[in-house]
Amino acid sequence: MSSESALSPVRPGSLEQQALGAGPEAPLADLLRGRRSVRGYRPDPVPADVIRDVLADAILAPSSMNTQPWKFHVLSGEVLDRIREENTRLMLAGAPIQRDVTVSERYEGVHRDRQVDIAKRLFGAMGIAREDQDARLDWTMRGFRQFDAPVSIVIAHDRSLEAVSPIAHFDLGAVVHALVLSAWSRGLGTVINSQGIMQGAAVRREAGIPDDHVIFTAVAMGYPDEDFAANHVRSARESVDEVARFVGFD
């Protein structure tokens, strides 16, 4: 464990101990079943060498024809604070969303049902009533601030890959999954967070991200705050029988 994280002892049974207990050599199934999204963080800094180890694991992810399209911009300190402030200011002012990748989050059908389910679980854990508009707005603002995590990793790909971007996006999904699993094995929490990069121009300007990098998503990272109720929420998963069909088997 880093000297910085040692300043705050790991509590028995805590999220951080669960993650550290898995360890980098733990069976993959343990990491997959133990990991969860973390939306509340301690202020402890995350050492750059720990993040470097996480990224060294992540870039072992598969990619189409070994193209390895990923670019990582690891942000912390004043730079990240300025991004939080500007992203929040613009979103509250009603500024148009400026993302490099066009997305629509207006889910329908079962996908909308799953979205609503996790929102209910999170709001229930945080004691946010449906009619409490102030609390709901505050929760949204936390997302725009990347949940106040001490680190944000902005994931991008070369603009030259835009013509084949669906494949590049698939590869970025693989590297992000590897990243969050590696982080969890080291006692770090993460949450994949696109709200924090809604104002992509501000992110690019403050972080000095080159114009030829397409900003895809971000991962908030830090040591989990054990007392933050939402950190203990687990999302529901469909069974294999509900999402898979087997063809050609006896």
Side-chain angles (χ1 to χ4, degrees), residues 45-56 58-59 71-81 83 146 149-156 179 188 203 206-210 213 217-222:
V46 182
D49 60 344
V50 174
I51 302 172
R52 189 176 297 275
D53 288 342
V54 168
L55 293 178
I59 61 176
K71 303 290 184 181
F72 304 98
H73 300 274
V74 185
L75 313 178
S76 191
E78 294 182 0
V79 170
L80 180 53
D81 287 341
I83 290 173
Q146 300 197 37
V151 173
S152 174
I153 301 179
V154 177
I155 295 95
L179 188 159
L188 290 164
V203 177
E206 297 295 343
I209 297 175
H213 287 193
T217 193
V219 175
M221 175 186 290

Side-chain angles (χ1 to χ4, degrees), residues 65-114:
M65 302 182 189
N66 196 36
T67 50
Q68 303 176 55
W70 37 74
K71 303 290 184 181
F72 304 98
H73 300 274
V74 185
L75 313 178
S76 191
E78 294 182 0
V79 170
L80 180 53
D81 287 341
R82 289 198 299 270
I83 290 173
R84 291 191 231 272
E85 292 170 5
E86 187 68 356
N87 189 63
T88 300
R89 182 186 71 80
L90 289 169
M91 294 304 293
L92 280 175
I97 293 172
Q98 294 184 341
R99 287 198 60 184
D100 287 358
V101 178
T102 302
V103 297
S104 173
E105 296 185 356
R106 296 175 181 173
Y107 299 114
E108 297 179 354
V110 66
H111 309 293
R112 173 63 176 169
D113 293 342
R114 293 168 185 157

Side-chain angles (χ1 to χ4, degrees), residues 154-238:
V154 177
I155 295 95
H157 66 73
D158 285 328
R159 197 169 295 279
S160 63
L161 295 173
E162 280 190 303
V164 292
S165 60
I167 297 176
H169 295 174
F170 180 88
D171 294 339
L172 292 186
V175 81
V176 168
H177 191 206
L179 188 159
V180 300
L181 287 180
S182 178
W184 182 257
S185 76
R186 289 175 167 78
L188 290 164
T190 61
V191 62
I192 302 169
N193 172 250
S194 62
Q195 290 174 295
I197 57 166
M198 290 292 198
Q199 297 297 327
V203 177
R204 187 180 301 280
R205 180 181 65 251
E206 297 295 343
I209 297 175
D211 288 339
D212 62 354
H213 287 193
V214 175
I215 298 173
F216 182 64
T217 193
V219 175
M221 175 186 290
Y223 295 105
D225 179 356
E226 180 69 18
D227 296 325
F228 194 74
N231 286 347
H232 300 277
V233 172
R234 301 192 71 99
S235 56
R237 287 293 191 270
E238 306 294 340

Side-chain angles (χ1 to χ4, degrees), residues 19-31 57 181-182 184-186:
L20 287 169
E25 304 303 321
L28 177 60
D30 289 350
L31 293 175
D57 288 344
L181 287 180
S182 178
W184 182 257
S185 76
R186 289 175 167 78

